[in-house]
Amino acid sequence: MTTRPEEAPDVGKGIVGAVTSVVDRIGGRNVVVCRALGSMRRGAITHADGVRLGEAADQARHLAIPFVFFVASSGADVHDGVAALHGWGRAAAAISRCSGQVPVIAAATGPVVSGPALLLGLSDLVVMSAEAVAYVSGPQMVAEFTGIQIGLRELGGTATHSRSSGLCTVESDDVDGAVAELLEYLPSNTDELPPVATVSDSVLRPTPELRTVIPDRKAASYDVRDVIRSVGDDGELRELWPRWAGQIVTAFARLGGMPVGVVANQPRILAGTLDIAASQKAARFVRLCDAFNLPIVSLVDTPGFLPGKDLEWRGMIRHGAELAFAYAQATVPRICLILRKAFGGAYIVMDSRGVGNDLCLAWPEAEVAVMGASGAVQILHRRLDPSERTESESAYEEAYLNPWPAAERGLVDEVIDPADTRLALCAALRQLCTKRELVVGRKHDAGPQ
């Protein structure tokens, strides 16, 4: 359907309230745009507003185009009483029905309070401006129940949701531009492929700089985003949730013009170890890519899961399993590239061959093993004196800390020269672009949450 803005039909025309909705164009794409702005009673959501939001979301699903809503709201309108809550519930149900069908992008441009804040959590991606504040229970309620005094921005400002809660996908004062950029990587609906861009960057371009990107000292760090920029078209990437769980990078990029989702361990932060937030972030991104047909490229350099009593008590097992579950369920093309360390359970959940990737590549210096040399020798030869232990560690490293044992067992398909990384990834994507999997019908999965 092609609709020019000047001919855009209103959704719920004639309903008076804080919410407006129209079929419009953002970044050259047809989308249903809903705006819940603070022009009437600070954007309080009436029953009619909830109905309009729900109808707009349903229209986006029926037209098979993205649903984008801009929101600044003080919550449910008390003048409408429980009817306002009913309207909000209808909107929440309609947005939930869009999940996995059409992209849902929310843009918070001011305070988003109480029930409407939960609509942000129902969205696939959330853009927040510097003025945005989002919370379910405000500072006064927090003080009454906990005795803790806290300010608005500390409780629910953009910086808080970018670093701590993971709600904010992108921080930007140009929310319209940020939304348009995100839409460039996504199809209009789950039955379409992502839009392929015309790029001048050759798929045959070598990447000799990657031969030196990893330091000689094994414990030294590097920025994995340099690897993504090197292999991606024109050195570009759109990182999502950049300030949340920084030990893992999730980003949109392009290879040969084709949008892909990149999941990469970040050695600069916590040595690239996985914790609860990192597992949640990566799993959420994998599900998003799978829902909208973006191939997934996983760049692995992790020594394992982050140890900690509090992590275990808070559900490290469940959330680590959540990442493995997301990868195992994904039906899009999946390529795994082991850059350096790939140890233990973290190696498994980072889209290993056992979880079902389509292709596993490794660089020559990659270390694929149950654990590092020090831990292995401590378990196998704990009674050795220091000199004997050093000798055993060297022997372990030579025998096991390389990609060849895994390649011999078919767990690594090919060991490649880092200079050929872009070529290898682009060639693999061309081969896998016709991949299709028959998904067995069922009501829904009941995976770890």
Side-chain angles (χ1 to χ4, degrees):
M1 172 180 177
T2 302
T3 305
R4 295 196 303 272
E6 62 269 25
E7 298 175 351
D10 284 340
V11 180
K13 188 174 182 180
I15 298 177
V16 178
V19 174
T20 63
S21 184
V22 67
V23 178
D24 207 341
R25 290 179 74 83
I26 295 181
R29 300 278 296 281
N30 283 337
V31 298
V32 172
V33 179
C34 212
R35 296 183 185 273
L37 303 178
S39 55
M40 297 180 61
R41 287 201 286 269
R42 293 186 297 172
I45 301 296
T46 65
H47 173 265
D49 291 327
V51 170
R52 175 172 284 193
L53 269 168
E55 288 181 350
D58 283 336
Q59 185 185 42
R61 185 166 53 87
H62 293 151
L63 295 177
I65 58 177
F67 178 53
V68 178
F69 65 98
F70 298 80
V71 59
S73 172
S74 58
D77 193 332
V78 295
H79 293 85
D80 261 16
V82 71
L85 299 180
H86 176 69
W88 175 88
R90 288 188 58 176
I95 293 174
S96 298
R97 288 191 291 269
C98 290
S99 179
Q101 301 297 313
V102 296
V104 178
I105 301 178
T109 58
V112 187
V113 179
S114 189
L118 297 178
L119 298 181
L120 301 179
L122 292 174
S123 306
D124 296 314
L125 302 167
V126 178
V127 178
M128 296 183 72
S129 69
E131 294 75 28
V133 176
Y135 54 79
V136 176
S137 300
Q140 182 177 352
M141 190 74 70
V142 171
E144 289 180 3
F145 276 80
T146 68
I148 298 173
Q149 301 293 329
I150 190 169
L152 277 174
R153 300 212 169 274
E154 185 182 359
L155 177 64
T158 299
T160 296
H161 288 303
S162 297
R163 289 194 304 262
S164 302
S165 74
L167 175 69
C168 178
T169 311
V170 174
E171 299 176 64
S172 178
D173 289 331
D174 179 14
V175 291
D176 291 84
V179 169
E181 184 181 5
L182 292 172
L183 287 172
E184 290 177 1
Y185 295 94
L186 296 169
S188 292
N189 57 72
T190 189
D191 294 324
E192 295 182 1
L193 293 175
V196 177
T198 301
V199 295
S200 58
D201 199 354
S202 172
V203 297
L204 302 177
R205 172 173 59 83
T207 53
E209 65 276 11
L210 295 183
R211 288 175 175 162
T212 57
V213 72
I214 295 181
D216 293 333
R217 190 166 60 90
K218 291 188 176 183
S221 67
Y222 62 95
D223 193 340
V224 77
R225 289 172 295 189
D226 293 336
V227 179
I228 302 172
R229 292 189 184 97
S230 180
V231 300
D233 291 346
D234 300 318
E236 295 179 353
L237 76 154
R238 169 73 264 188
E239 188 172 356
L240 309 182
W241 304 286
R243 299 170 66 186
W244 178 48
Q247 66 268 47
I248 199 157
V249 172
T250 52
F252 291 142
R254 286 189 178 86
L255 288 170
M258 182 185 301
V260 298
V262 181
V263 181
N265 302 114
Q266 175 59 289
R268 290 184 64 182
I269 300 177
L270 296 176
T273 53
L274 295 177
D275 63 3
I276 289 175
S279 299
Q280 291 175 323
K281 173 181 174 178
R284 181 176 176 182
F285 183 66
V286 167
R287 288 194 295 267
L288 174 68
C289 292
D290 186 49
F292 296 111
N293 306 316
L294 272 76
I296 302 170
V297 177
S298 302
L299 305 180
V300 182
D301 186 353
T302 177
F305 285 97
L306 185 66
K309 176 189 70 176
D310 291 340
L311 285 173
E312 298 294 343
W313 288 1
R314 286 164 47 212
M316 186 68 257
I317 293 173
R318 290 188 297 107
H319 295 293
E322 185 181 355
L323 179 53
F325 189 85
Y327 270 121
Q329 291 256 296
T331 61
V332 294
R334 289 154 48 195
I335 303 170
C336 174
L337 172 60
I338 302 173
L339 306 179
R340 185 167 61 173
K341 297 177 182 177
F343 292 162
Y347 153 65
I348 295 298
V349 303
M350 283 297 297
D351 203 20
S352 65
R353 174 50 51 84
V355 174
N357 64 44
D358 297 296
L359 181 70
C360 186
L361 306 173
W363 284 354
E365 301 303 318
E367 303 174 357
V368 186
V370 175
M371 62 182 67
S374 178
V377 170
Q378 186 175 355
I379 291 174
L380 298 173
H381 309 289
R382 65 183 63 190
R383 292 185 176 86
L384 294 178
D385 60 48
S387 61
E388 292 175 323
R389 177 168 295 181
T390 300
E391 184 179 340
S392 295
E393 287 180 3
S394 298
Y396 181 89
E397 288 180 2
E398 183 177 350
Y400 299 109
L401 294 190
N402 59 72
W404 307 114
E408 290 172 359
R409 290 166 173 78
L411 306 180
V412 170
D413 294 295
E414 186 178 359
V415 179
I416 63 171
D417 184 338
D420 296 331
T421 301
R422 174 174 165 82
L423 173 61
L425 293 177
C426 290
L429 283 176
R430 286 199 303 271
Q431 293 173 349
L432 293 170
C433 67
T434 57
K435 176 187 175 184
R436 300 291 184 272
E437 288 190 19
L438 177 63
V439 180
V440 178
R442 53 180 169 174
K443 188 174 182 181
H444 57 74
D445 61 61
Q449 303 293 332

